[in-house]
Amino acid sequence: MKNILILILLITNLLTHTSAQEDPEAKSTKKIDETTFEEKEQKLIDYSNIKNVLINDGLEKQQEQREKLVKQIKVERKSISKDKYFYPTEEDFWDFISELWLVKNAQILSWDFPKPEYGIDVAFKNLLEKLGYFNKHFKILIVNTPTVVHFGLPAGKDSYIFLLSLPFVRSLDLTKVDIALVLLEDFFRLESKTFINNLKVDTTILGTNFYDTEVKKDFIQTVLKNYSRVIFDEGFDFQQQYEVTKEMDRVLKSDPALWGAYFRVINKIDKFIKSDLLYQKYLKIYPSPELQIQWLSPKKKVI
Amino acid sequence: MKIFVFIFLLSTSSFAQTTMGRKYFSNFLGHVHKSMSKDATSLTIVQCSHSVKILKENNLLADWNYVQVGEDKGYVQSEFLTDKKPDCFQEKYPKFYNSVGLDISEMYYWGKLYDQYFQGKSKIK
């Protein structure tokens, strides 16, 4: 008797555990019929055939109300379905497309490699706070290639993605403060939407609905193509460079140590890109450190 | 009799699922790692708002969680998990997201992206 009792206990124990382990998500995979009772009823019964019976029984009004309700359900259902067919808003789009571009160019950029904590994120955060830029969320991606030296990509309101070349940082022996200043330049370019403007893509479809039309698949391809064009080949023009340099000058002037560090970084970059063939393209993307030095240098007074 | 009771207790402890609760994955895509390292082998890919089972693990590093996703048990960085269901791009724009047609290798890289980022946020004044 005792043995039987113990056996029963063991079996129930096993059963309760297996049922507890059952994934609740598995249950949710069962297909749910979304059709309401009223709609099913409407489908099943042809009221036109029994119209006279309904009039005799005084149920015509009730039937009208029922038809109205089914109509309303159909409208609501269409509206719910329509909600799934929106293009992302401008706010949500840039983070998505910037990351999609990074994913599509993972091999060229070579960012998927083991790396230690460099402390760049902390240095940049401190710099932003020191200069009064609060509540800014940033993601820094270290790339193991000289193809892209440093670049800022849009990621929505108060959000930024920065690319930074490890070979570049090593070749120039940049300190954390130097790197933070280089990223600050990219931060200002993003704040002024220079990169988005240089893409020259029509973004008016963002936030609109495509329920009644086909989704424009070529839109994404066009944006990605233009990302590559600006990041790899065209970069920024002289006017844009002048504006960002002047902004850096204006912001950093209140802190002579930082201003000096920035001036030294530009000098370092200028000398380096003139001597290293690998970085000759830098001038095309950021024209030009030599001019930046001139724009930053105090003007000599002619007496 | 004592032996049977001992076996019964043993079976209870060995079958017990030491679940600490459930959390949601909050990034766009990510990985469940074999060990507590960003560069460790990926066991499976998880999408935003995927519910994961939090399991008990004694030698856990501070910023990692031991989780179960389907049959796989592995590690996810704590900052990637939330108690509240997150707002996800995939759920907000399902038809647009499907139209992009990400393949498995792109999904893999997208997950890796969040392992490779150094993220930060300047304080709120």
Side-chain angles (χ1 to χ4, degrees):
Chain A
M1 184 63 187
K2 269 181 194 171
N3 286 350
I4 295 165
L5 263 172
I6 287 161
L7 196 70
I8 291 167
L9 266 171
L10 276 171
I11 290 167
T12 49
N13 181 35
L14 264 171
L15 280 173
T16 48
H17 277 296
T18 45
S19 62
Q21 279 172 355
E22 200 180 309
D23 199 339
E25 279 160 43
K27 287 176 191 167
S28 67
T29 52
K30 284 176 191 168
K31 261 203 164 175
I32 302 160
D33 185 9
E34 287 179 344
T35 322
T36 59
F37 171 75
E38 287 81 1
E39 283 175 294
K40 277 177 190 165
E41 197 183 54
Q42 186 87 357
K43 268 185 197 172
L44 282 170
I45 307 165
D46 185 3
Y47 286 102
S48 58
N49 289 340
I50 52 165
K51 205 173 181 181
N52 290 331
V53 182
L54 288 173
I55 293 166
N56 290 338
D57 291 353
L59 295 168
E60 204 186 23
K61 247 190 183 170
Q62 217 172 328
Q63 165 53 18
E64 271 174 22
Q65 273 177 343
R66 196 159 279 254
E67 275 177 5
K68 239 185 206 174
L69 183 70
V70 171
K71 245 184 206 172
Q72 209 179 331
I73 289 168
K74 279 181 180 167
V75 169
E76 289 292 326
R77 192 191 301 285
K78 194 182 173 183
S79 151
I80 292 166
S81 177
K82 221 175 166 179
D83 282 351
K84 294 175 183 168
Y85 288 80
F86 272 100
Y87 286 106
T89 58
E90 190 116 1
E91 172 78 25
D92 293 327
F93 177 71
W94 293 112
D95 189 35
F96 173 80
I97 201 78
S98 289
E99 291 194 341
L100 182 62
W101 185 83
L102 290 173
V103 166
K104 297 254 183 204
N105 290 279
Q107 278 87 0
I108 300 171
L109 296 171
S110 173
W111 50 257
D112 187 20
F113 67 99
K115 45 186 86 83
E117 291 283 337
Y118 296 108
I120 301 166
D121 44 344
V122 179
F124 187 57
K125 177 184 173 283
N126 291 343
L127 181 68
L128 286 177
E129 287 172 0
K130 195 173 186 183
L131 299 172
Y133 297 100
F134 298 104
N135 201 22
K136 307 286 181 190
H137 178 230
F138 59 87
K139 297 181 254 190
I140 302 168
L141 188 66
I142 309 291
V143 295
N144 200 7
T145 173
T147 314
V148 175
V149 176
H150 61 90
F151 214 96
L153 302 176
K157 194 176 179 284
D158 291 329
S159 295
Y160 315 84
I161 298 171
F162 299 105
L163 304 182
L164 185 68
S165 160
L166 186 61
F168 176 76
V169 170
R170 280 190 180 147
S171 303
L172 266 86
D173 196 19
L174 297 177
T175 65
K176 283 180 209 168
V177 174
D178 294 344
I179 295 166
L181 288 164
V182 169
L183 297 181
L184 188 70
E185 250 195 13
D186 291 331
F187 170 78
F188 286 139
R189 285 187 189 98
L190 289 171
E191 284 283 275
S192 59
K193 294 197 185 309
T194 317
F195 173 72
I196 292 176
N197 294 337
N198 285 6
L199 288 175
K200 289 169 194 155
V201 285
D202 180 15
T203 55
T204 47
I205 64 162
L206 292 178
T208 61
N209 194 282
F210 59 94
Y211 183 76
D212 299 314
T213 53
E214 280 284 299
V215 61
K216 286 181 181 166
K217 282 187 180 171
D218 57 335
F219 170 68
I220 291 174
Q221 295 313 317
T222 309
V223 181
L224 290 175
K225 227 184 193 175
N226 282 291
Y227 258 64
S228 296
R229 175 181 56 80
V230 177
I231 297 167
F232 293 136
D233 301 315
E234 290 181 9
F236 304 92
D237 61 30
F238 284 99
Q239 183 59 34
Q240 289 164 343
Q241 276 297 90
Y242 175 78
E243 276 159 22
V244 81
T245 312
K246 280 289 166 192
E247 185 64 6
M248 289 291 284
D249 185 38
R250 187 185 67 79
V251 170
L252 298 177
K253 252 196 179 137
S254 57
D255 190 324
L258 276 178
W259 191 93
Y262 177 60
F263 192 72
R264 279 193 297 277
V265 171
I266 300 289
N267 270 288
K268 256 189 192 179
I269 295 173
D270 182 44
K271 275 180 198 150
F272 177 68
I273 55 161
K274 280 175 182 167
S275 61
D276 197 316
L277 284 170
L278 263 177
Y279 295 92
Q280 292 241 311
K281 227 177 181 183
Y282 186 93
L283 284 172
K284 263 180 119 183
I285 310 297
Y286 301 111
S288 74
E290 196 176 335
L291 279 171
Q292 281 186 289
I293 295 164
Q294 275 186 39
W295 295 329
L296 286 168
S297 304
K299 279 171 192 154
K300 285 171 193 166
K301 280 182 183 172
V302 182
I303 304 165
Chain B
M1 178 64 186
K2 277 179 186 172
I3 295 165
F4 278 117
V5 171
F6 176 72
I7 293 168
F8 172 70
L9 287 172
L10 200 72
S11 73
T12 319
S13 62
S14 63
F15 283 105
Q17 189 74 51
T18 45
T19 308
M20 314 264 291
R22 278 188 170 269
K23 284 193 178 187
Y24 297 97
F25 191 76
S26 60
N27 285 334
F28 188 75
L29 282 162
H31 293 277
V32 175
H33 293 282
K34 203 175 175 182
S35 59
M36 283 176 275
S37 162
K38 289 174 173 187
D39 304 304
T41 313
S42 165
L43 297 174
T44 187
I45 300 170
V46 273
Q47 279 213 41
C48 183
S49 104
H50 196 111
S51 164
V52 300
K53 221 183 250 178
I54 309 292
L55 304 177
K56 201 182 171 190
E57 153 84 73
N58 292 329
N59 305 313
L60 208 59
L61 292 176
D63 44 356
W64 286 87
N65 270 122
Y66 187 48
V67 303
Q68 181 172 0
V69 178
E71 291 297 304
D72 296 305
K73 288 177 187 175
Y75 300 87
V76 172
Q77 289 179 78
S78 310
E79 60 174 323
F80 298 165
L81 299 171
T82 56
D83 295 319
K84 236 178 102 185
K85 201 168 189 287
D87 281 331
C88 300
F89 187 91
Q90 294 98 318
E91 286 176 359
K92 216 168 162 186
Y93 309 105
K95 296 290 174 186
F96 175 80
Y97 174 65
N98 286 343
S99 78
V100 177
L102 291 178
D103 62 36
I104 191 73
S105 110
E106 287 167 341
M107 288 171 101
Y108 172 86
Y109 273 117
W110 210 311
K112 289 299 284 180
L113 203 50
Y114 285 88
D115 287 327
Q116 298 294 350
Y117 277 143
F118 292 108
Q119 297 198 54
K121 191 175 183 180
S122 60
K123 67 181 177 196
I124 302 162
K125 204 181 177 186

